[in-house]
């Protein structure tokens, strides 16, 4: 049909031009956009893992970062050092020789953001509430009793000797709330707090702390805005406003490549660090360990429960090659304790590949071309696609005559399967919930809850491993504990169902004008209030 | 009961007997409301069932590893969320609350699901409305152009472009657009709804551009508009690609009708034929597709929202699904079902406006 379409063409072109112009008219350039107040705002880009800002319930990375800036704890860690707690609300503390009783002397003159004084009652209330709510972080204080002896003295007692209590009381979940205000909004520290406490919704949108910042706004999908607390008792933060912004990790990288000032990114690590401009600064420590777990229960798998197969798989894997998949900041794994924490094994003690040995061990085990289902979460974690690592493990194992059938799963399905103890062989990353490595013994030593998910009972374990674990928990001085922890890991590497592949770093990427943007492995990633300008 | 008149797709006619004097439109609407209620009930049954049969336990998805080792913490969680009750009791409890307008609380965040939806829907609307308007204008124009240029170079280029558009993964296009317009050219912001130096305007509609304009905060409105530009560009491009093919084929069909030939034969100018006859008749099937496209935009474009850090329904749905957050999943499912129902209703009513031959009888 010979119809002239000029008018149509003109209309369509005009609309297309309009659409393009709607983009090109924009002039924001950097992510910070408008210059209004740019000098006062610190932008922290992170892929949100955020459920709540209630200190009694907070457990996820983004929440911990914010809560650390909103609330004070009795003790804290400075910079990147997580080996020694520093004074915060408590200006000093004393430990009893049996490591069961810790007496904290509170700093004088501390007020909450509303101006009311912080007292020992607030500390007792907050810690009891944390314990009795029974949410995710409650386990860290479950065996503790908290009392006050006067308005500025708090005593924390443990049922069993525990030299790590000061570390536990440095964690954001032990934050001290304004108890009077909290009670007015539904908080309770009673034994029935798990059902009776109704303060979460209030605490998600209002902070009741004495920290350097107060909560301005909260949106778990978009952004959390903090503003400087004018009544803060300590050194005032340099940025009057901080915006924690939810951003996909790829977008974070693009954003940081263009960022000019006062911007931080928390999720660029591994291979994603490649290609970043040299003008950006990075800070990180290896705080994550990636390991395989083999089921030691013959009812689940006759293959993986065979100790010789366990050793054969250890010998089959190319640890250097796997570490290379993680990119900068990674290393072949030595023990279950990541290098960020006291008690890690020194470099050089990592497992070594020996394919001939692996084949010999398989022959000794009487296994010919064994086939095992290999389950892992189909996710990218800290810049690393776990599927890529699993495929490398599969290839390494194949060279020794072991066939691994890859079984990627959605995260929730994987967790369910892992916790149900049904996986013959699995793969997972692990970070510590707080910087005390011997918490691993409470979970991963033979007969403990996590170990039992891999069918590793005390009866199936080498008695030497059990004894080494016991020695760690019985050692009361921290240096001695760290040494005992190393010995435990060496024995674990010989016979445990855990096979450490690599350790990887978490990284803070910051623009060059910032100071104090140090990665901290205690959970809050970066101390926002310590970030300043050069 | 619906029947089709004159062979036109989607035409609406009520033929069942009705009370004397009742307007057919009212009867039609009453039936649609009843169908919608039944549909929503069905959605709750199916969603409730599906979420409870898929592998994965809300407890393991929501509690820490250490807490899972503590039977007291696990029991407290189960009791708090009613997971210790039989499934039928949980469902009836949910339904009872639903009848009172209570969609429950998110197991992840403890927030009311209804409040969450009211918060996230405006953000999605703010993306979907301009994307749809632009896509309709551009898609219709280009589709008509291709139809009237059938078989010629313009038509071939449009068809190739539409095919490429349909084959393009949304997340890939989002990254490309970000790379070009944000990273290389510095013309648009990278993500979020506002620059970090601005605070959201006072809430009226929940759409930042509108609310900021209403409050006279023009700098905020302009900033919000800039943040809209890239995700709208992506969604518009993808929707245009879908619309163009439908518009083109619908228009081609109309162009072959006798009355078009007759119109030309009696000497009507091309622009009159296009506007009066081609556009009007060709739009009927296009409206159906546009309705579905708009519903799709509203029910969440997960990856686009994720890459642009846009706090909309798509992201909410994704987070809820990955955490097996049953109340939130049910809330989003109901919202999506409602959106599709309302859009279909609107489409049915629009038929009559576009084509006078289609009428409720």
């Amino acid at each position: 049909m010979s119809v002239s379409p000029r008018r149509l063409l003109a209309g369509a072109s005009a609309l297309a031009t309009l659409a393009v112009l709607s983009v090109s008219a924009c002039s924001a350039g950097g992510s910070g956009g408008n210059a209004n107040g740019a000098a006062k705002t610190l932008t922290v880009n992170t892929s949100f893992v955020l459920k709540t800002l209630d200190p009694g319930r907070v457990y996820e990375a983004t929440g911990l970062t914010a809560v650390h800036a909103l609330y004070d704890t009795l003790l804290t860690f400075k910079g990147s050092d997580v080996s020694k707690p520093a004074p915060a609300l408590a200006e000093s503390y004393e430990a009893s020789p049996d490591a069961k009783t810790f007496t904290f002397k509170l700093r004088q003159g501390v007020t909450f953001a509303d101006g009311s004084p912080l007292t020992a009652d607030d500390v007792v209330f907050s810690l009891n509430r944390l314990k009795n709510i029974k949410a995710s972080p409650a386990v860290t204080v479950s065996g503790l009793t908290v009392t006050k002896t006067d308005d500025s003295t708090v005593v924390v007692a443990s049922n069993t000797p525990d030299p790590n209590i000061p570390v536990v009381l440095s964690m954001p979940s032990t934050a001290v709330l304004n108890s009077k205000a909290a009670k007015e909004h539904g908080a309770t520290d009673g034994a029935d707090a798990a059902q009776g406490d109704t303060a979460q919704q209030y605490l998600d949108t209002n902070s009741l702390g004495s920290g350097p910042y107060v909560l301005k706004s909260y949106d778990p999908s978009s952004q959390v805005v903090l503003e400087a607390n004018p009544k803060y008792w300590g050194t005032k933060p340099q940025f009057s406003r901080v915006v924690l912004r939810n951003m996909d990790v790829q977008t974070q990288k693009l954003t940081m490549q263009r960022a000019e000032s006062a911007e931080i990114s928390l999720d660029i690590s591994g291979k994603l660090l490649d290609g970043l401009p040299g003008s950006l600064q990075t800070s990180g420590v290896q705080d994550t360990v990636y390991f395989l777990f083999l089921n030691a229960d013959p009812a689940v798998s006759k293959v993986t429960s065979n100790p010789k197969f366990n050793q054969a798989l250890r010998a089959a894997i190319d640890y250097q090659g796997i570490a290379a998949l993680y990119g900068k900041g990674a290393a072949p794994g030595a023990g279950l304790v990541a290098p960020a924490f006291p008690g890690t094994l020194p470099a050089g003690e990592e497992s070594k590949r020996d394919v001939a040995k692996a084949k010999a061990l398989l022959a000794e085990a009487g296994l010919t071309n064994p086939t095992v289902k290999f389950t892992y979460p189909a996710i990218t974690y800290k810049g690393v696609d776990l599927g890529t690592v699993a495929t490398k493990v599969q290839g390494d194992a194949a060279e020794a005559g072991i066939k691994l059938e890859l079984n990627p799963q959605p995260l929730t399905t994987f967790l369910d399967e892992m916790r149900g103890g049904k996986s013959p062989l699995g793969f997972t990353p692990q970070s510590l919930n707080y910087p005390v490595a011997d918490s691993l013994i409470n979970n991963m030593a033979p007969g403990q809850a996590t170990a039992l998910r891999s069918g590793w009972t005390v009866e199936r374990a080498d008695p030497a491993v059990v004894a080494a674990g016991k020695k760690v928990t019985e050692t009361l001085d921290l240096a001695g504990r760290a040494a005992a922890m190393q010995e435990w890991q060496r024995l674990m590497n010989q016979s445990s169902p855990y096979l450490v592949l690599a350790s990887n770093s978490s990284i803070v990427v910051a623009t060059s004008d910032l100071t104090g943007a140090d990665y901290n492995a205690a959970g809050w990633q970066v101390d926002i209030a310590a970030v300043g300008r050069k | 009961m619906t029947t089709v008149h004159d062979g036109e797709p989607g035409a609406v006619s009520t033929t069942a007997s009705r009370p004397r004097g009742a307007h057919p439109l009212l009867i039609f609407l009453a039936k649609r409301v009843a169908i919608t209620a039944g549909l929503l009930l069905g959605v709750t049954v199916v969603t409730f069932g599906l979420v409870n049969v898929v592998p994965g336990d809300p407890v393991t998805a929501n509690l820490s590893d250490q807490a899972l080792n503590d039977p007291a913490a696990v029991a407290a969680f189960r009791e708090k969320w009613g997971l210790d009750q039989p499934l039928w009791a949980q469902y009836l409890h949910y339904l009872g609350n639903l009848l009172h307008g209570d969609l429950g609380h998110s197991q992840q965040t403890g927030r009311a699901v209804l409040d969450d939806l009211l918060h996230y829907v405006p953000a999605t609307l703010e993306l979907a409305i301009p994307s749809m308007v632009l896509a309709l204008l551009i898609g219709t124009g280009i589709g008509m152009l291709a139809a009237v240029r059938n078989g010629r170079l313009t038509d071939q280029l449009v068809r190739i472009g539409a095919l490429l558009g349909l084959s393009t993964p949304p997340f890939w296009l989002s990254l490309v657009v970000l790379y070009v317009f944000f990273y290389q050219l510095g013309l648009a912001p990278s993500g979020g709804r506002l620059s970090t130096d601005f605070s959201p305007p006072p809430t009226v509609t929940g759409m930042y551009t509108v609310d900021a304009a209403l409050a006279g905060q023009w700098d905020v409105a302009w900033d919000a508009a800039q943040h809209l530009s890239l995700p709208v560009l992506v969604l518009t491009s993808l929707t245009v690609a879908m619309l163009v093919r439908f518009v083109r084929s619908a228009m081609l069909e109309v162009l072959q009708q006798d009355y078009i030939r007759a119109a030309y034969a009696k000497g009507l100018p091309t622009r009159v034929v296009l506007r009066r006859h081609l556009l009007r008749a060709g739009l009927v099937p296009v409206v159906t597709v546009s309705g579905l496209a708009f519903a799709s935009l509203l029910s969440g474009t997960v990856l686009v929202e994720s890459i642009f850090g846009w706090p909309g329904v798509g992201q909410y749905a994704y987070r809820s699904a990955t955490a097996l957050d049953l109340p939130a999943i049910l809330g989003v499912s109901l919202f999506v079902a409602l959106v599709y129902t309302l859009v279909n209703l609107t489409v049915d009513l629009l038929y009559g406006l576009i084509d006078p031959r289609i009428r409720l009888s």
Side-chain angles (χ1 to χ4, degrees):
Chain A
M1 189 169 292
S2 59
V3 177
S4 167
R6 267 180 300 174
R7 192 175 288 264
L8 276 176
L9 184 62
S13 305
L15 288 167
T17 308
L18 183 68
V20 173
L21 283 178
S22 73
V23 172
S24 56
C26 302
S27 57
S31 56
N34 193 291
N36 174 26
K40 299 174 189 168
T41 301
L42 171 67
T43 303
V44 181
N45 303 308
T46 183
S47 189
F48 271 19
V49 190
L50 176 60
K51 292 181 181 176
T52 180
L53 295 182
D54 177 347
R57 295 179 169 88
V58 69
Y59 199 74
E60 296 73 28
T62 310
L64 291 169
T65 304
V67 166
H68 180 65
L70 297 169
Y71 293 86
D72 285 316
T73 43
L74 286 175
L75 300 170
T76 189
F77 294 109
K78 298 289 186 189
S80 292
D81 182 9
V82 293
S83 65
K84 195 171 184 307
L89 286 179
E91 57 187 8
S92 64
Y93 71 92
E94 283 181 12
S96 65
D98 64 358
K100 282 186 168 181
T101 307
F102 295 77
T103 305
F104 295 87
K105 201 72 188 168
L106 298 186
R107 190 182 298 276
Q108 294 300 298
V110 175
T111 61
F112 289 107
D114 68 357
S116 59
L118 186 152
T119 70
D121 288 326
D122 297 306
V123 179
V124 173
F125 172 86
S126 302
L127 293 177
N128 282 335
R129 176 175 182 265
L130 168 64
K131 182 167 78 171
N132 291 327
I133 281 178
K134 293 189 173 65
S136 289
V139 183
T140 55
V141 295
S142 59
L144 305 184
T145 306
V146 187
T147 52
K148 72 163 191 176
T149 50
D150 59 49
D151 275 351
S152 62
T153 310
V154 172
V155 177
V156 177
S158 170
N159 300 333
T160 54
D162 188 354
N164 292 310
I165 283 174
V167 173
V168 168
L169 295 176
S170 303
M171 300 311 294
S173 55
T174 64
V176 177
L177 292 88
N178 181 335
S179 60
K180 184 169 176 285
K183 285 175 192 167
E184 285 169 6
H185 293 98
T188 173
D189 64 345
D192 64 343
Q195 307 304 327
D197 186 282
T198 56
Q200 182 184 348
Q201 286 188 59
Y202 182 81
L203 291 169
D204 280 343
T205 47
N206 301 271
S207 53
L208 294 177
S210 60
Y213 286 95
V214 293
L215 182 61
K216 177 73 176 169
S217 71
Y218 169 80
D219 181 337
S221 275
S222 172
Q223 63 177 25
V224 174
V225 181
L226 317 180
E227 283 188 352
N229 170 11
K231 296 192 171 127
Y232 183 52
W233 56 272
T235 308
K236 300 269 190 298
Q238 283 193 34
F239 287 96
S240 59
R241 190 163 181 271
V242 176
V243 179
L244 293 163
R245 186 165 57 159
N246 187 17
M247 192 175 272
D248 174 76
V249 66
Q250 295 287 351
T251 317
Q252 280 181 49
K253 183 170 179 180
L254 282 177
T255 300
M256 290 308 293
Q257 285 173 316
R258 278 193 64 87
E260 289 168 358
S261 68
E263 199 148 346
I264 282 177
S265 183
L266 299 182
D267 304 300
I268 303 172
S269 55
K271 291 286 188 188
L272 286 170
L273 289 165
D274 296 345
L276 277 186
S279 58
L280 295 172
Q281 49 178 324
T282 58
S283 163
V285 287
Q286 289 175 11
D287 64 344
T288 306
V289 161
Y290 295 75
F291 65 90
L292 306 181
F293 52 93
L294 295 85
N295 206 302
D297 184 352
V300 174
S301 169
K302 285 199 164 41
V303 176
T304 59
S305 60
N306 186 324
K308 295 285 183 190
F309 175 83
N310 180 322
Q311 291 303 318
L313 189 58
R314 273 176 208 277
I317 290 169
D318 170 18
Y319 298 90
Q320 294 286 348
I322 284 179
L325 293 177
Y326 288 83
K328 287 177 191 167
L336 282 168
V337 180
F341 307 107
T344 187
L345 287 176
E349 290 199 26
E350 63 271 7
S351 303
K352 303 283 191 304
R353 187 178 203 204
D354 186 340
V355 178
K357 183 182 169 189
K359 287 178 176 171
L361 284 163
L362 275 185
E364 282 179 39
L367 297 168
T368 308
N369 299 322
T371 301
V372 178
K373 190 166 85 167
F374 182 23
T375 306
Y376 59 93
I379 58 171
T380 296
Y381 187 75
K382 296 195 176 181
V384 179
D385 170 32
L386 297 193
T388 306
V389 180
T391 305
K392 165 78 175 153
V393 170
Q394 182 191 39
D396 292 348
E399 287 184 38
I402 299 169
K403 184 179 178 188
L404 301 183
E405 291 177 342
L406 298 186
N407 180 34
Q409 295 285 338
L411 184 59
T412 48
T413 312
F414 168 79
L415 290 174
D416 222 32
E417 207 171 301
M418 181 177 78
R419 287 163 182 162
K422 297 184 182 72
S423 298
L425 177 66
F427 170 44
T428 185
Q430 175 175 275
S431 300
L432 292 178
N433 300 313
Y434 56 102
V436 175
D438 45 81
S439 63
L440 292 174
I441 291 175
N442 300 329
N443 287 303
M444 303 178 82
Q448 299 299 320
T450 304
L452 290 176
R453 291 176 191 157
S454 295
W456 204 34
T457 59
V458 172
E459 295 72 33
R460 290 179 185 139
D462 179 351
V465 176
V466 180
K470 196 158 175 270
K471 186 179 175 191
V472 173
T473 53
E474 287 174 351
T475 305
L476 296 186
D477 84 284
L478 291 177
R481 249 188 196 221
M485 195 70 204
Q486 290 183 330
E487 206 44 47
W488 177 72
Q489 290 173 87
R490 290 184 182 109
L491 290 166
M492 289 284 281
N493 281 348
Q494 289 175 22
S495 64
S496 80
Y498 308 113
L499 208 162
V500 179
L501 298 178
S503 55
N504 194 21
S505 300
S506 300
I507 305 278
V508 174
V509 177
T511 46
S512 59
D513 60 325
L514 297 179
T515 59
D518 302 317
Y519 179 78
N520 185 293
W524 54 80
Q525 304 178 92
V526 63
D527 184 357
I528 289 171
V531 177
R533 285 201 116 120
K534 285 178 182 168
Chain B
M1 182 185 298
T2 60
T3 58
V4 176
H5 269 195
D6 298 329
E8 292 295 337
V12 178
S13 167
T14 56
T15 57
S17 60
R18 60 176 189 268
R20 204 172 168 182
H23 193 282
L25 184 62
L26 287 179
I27 295 173
F28 173 70
L29 289 175
K31 283 185 176 177
R32 292 299 286 258
V33 168
I35 290 169
T36 303
L39 182 74
L40 295 181
L41 186 70
V43 166
T44 62
V45 174
V46 172
T47 314
F48 207 92
L50 279 178
V51 172
N52 281 285
V53 297
V54 294
D57 183 349
V59 181
T60 52
N62 283 285
L63 281 188
S64 68
D65 214 30
Q66 285 189 326
L68 283 169
N69 292 338
D70 179 4
V74 173
F77 186 88
R78 286 196 179 282
E79 188 184 343
K80 181 175 180 180
W81 295 103
L83 300 172
D84 53 345
Q85 302 291 314
L87 209 56
W88 61 265
Q90 289 180 46
Y91 178 71
L92 288 181
H93 181 70
Y94 179 81
L95 214 54
N97 286 341
L98 194 62
L99 290 173
H100 294 92
D102 179 4
L103 292 177
H105 286 71
S106 159
Q107 287 168 353
Q108 274 194 101
T109 64
R111 286 153 53 112
V113 172
L114 185 60
D115 289 350
D116 276 347
L117 284 173
L118 291 174
H119 178 78
Y120 295 122
V121 168
T124 296
L125 272 176
E126 198 172 19
L127 274 188
I129 291 173
S131 303
M132 197 65 225
V133 170
L134 281 173
L136 266 177
L137 292 172
I138 298 169
T140 308
I142 295 177
M144 282 182 76
L145 176 67
V148 297
R149 291 276 197 170
N150 185 23
R152 295 160 76 174
L153 181 62
T154 313
D155 181 36
Q156 302 290 352
L157 290 175
V158 168
R159 288 166 70 184
I160 291 170
L163 192 63
L164 281 176
L166 282 174
S167 324
T168 305
F171 76 92
W172 182 83
L173 185 60
S174 301
L175 288 173
V176 168
V177 161
L178 260 179
Y179 182 78
V180 173
F181 290 101
F182 165 69
Y183 179 64
Q184 288 293 347
L185 302 176
L187 291 174
S190 60
R193 296 182 74 186
L194 275 182
S195 295
T196 54
D197 301 321
F198 291 110
S199 296
T203 303
V204 180
T205 65
M207 292 185 269
Y208 284 2
T209 43
V210 178
D211 290 352
L214 289 174
Q217 299 175 348
W218 297 107
D219 53 346
V220 177
W222 175 235
D223 188 71
Q226 291 176 58
H227 281 78
L228 270 174
S229 59
L230 294 189
V232 164
L233 179 66
V234 171
L235 293 176
T236 302
S237 308
L238 297 171
T239 314
V240 162
M242 186 171 71
L243 284 178
V244 159
R245 286 162 61 98
F246 278 93
V247 173
R248 179 183 171 276
S249 60
M251 299 295 173
L252 273 179
E253 200 174 313
V254 177
L255 281 170
Q256 288 160 8
Q257 299 294 316
D258 288 343
Y259 67 89
I260 296 284
R261 291 201 190 95
Y264 278 116
K266 67 183 180 183
L268 280 178
T270 301
R271 65 176 185 279
V272 176
V273 176
L274 291 181
R275 194 174 63 238
R276 282 197 192 158
H277 299 291
L278 178 63
L279 187 61
R280 197 150 202 175
L283 274 186
V284 174
V286 173
V287 165
T288 310
V289 181
S290 305
L292 291 174
F294 188 58
S296 167
L297 285 171
L298 273 181
S299 59
T301 43
V302 179
L303 291 168
V304 176
E305 286 186 1
S306 177
I307 286 169
F308 289 103
W310 199 266
V313 176
Q315 272 214 66
Y316 185 59
Y318 174 74
R319 284 195 304 125
S320 307
T322 50
L324 290 177
D325 188 343
L326 181 59
I329 294 170
L330 281 166
V332 172
S333 306
L334 284 174
F335 168 74
V336 171
L338 197 60
V339 162
Y340 274 92
T341 312
L342 290 178
V343 165
N344 272 330
L345 176 64
T346 310
V347 165
D348 284 350
L349 294 175
L350 279 176
Y351 285 147
L353 286 177
I354 297 168
D355 191 339
R357 293 171 300 170
I358 305 167
R359 278 288 176 269
L360 294 163
S361 60

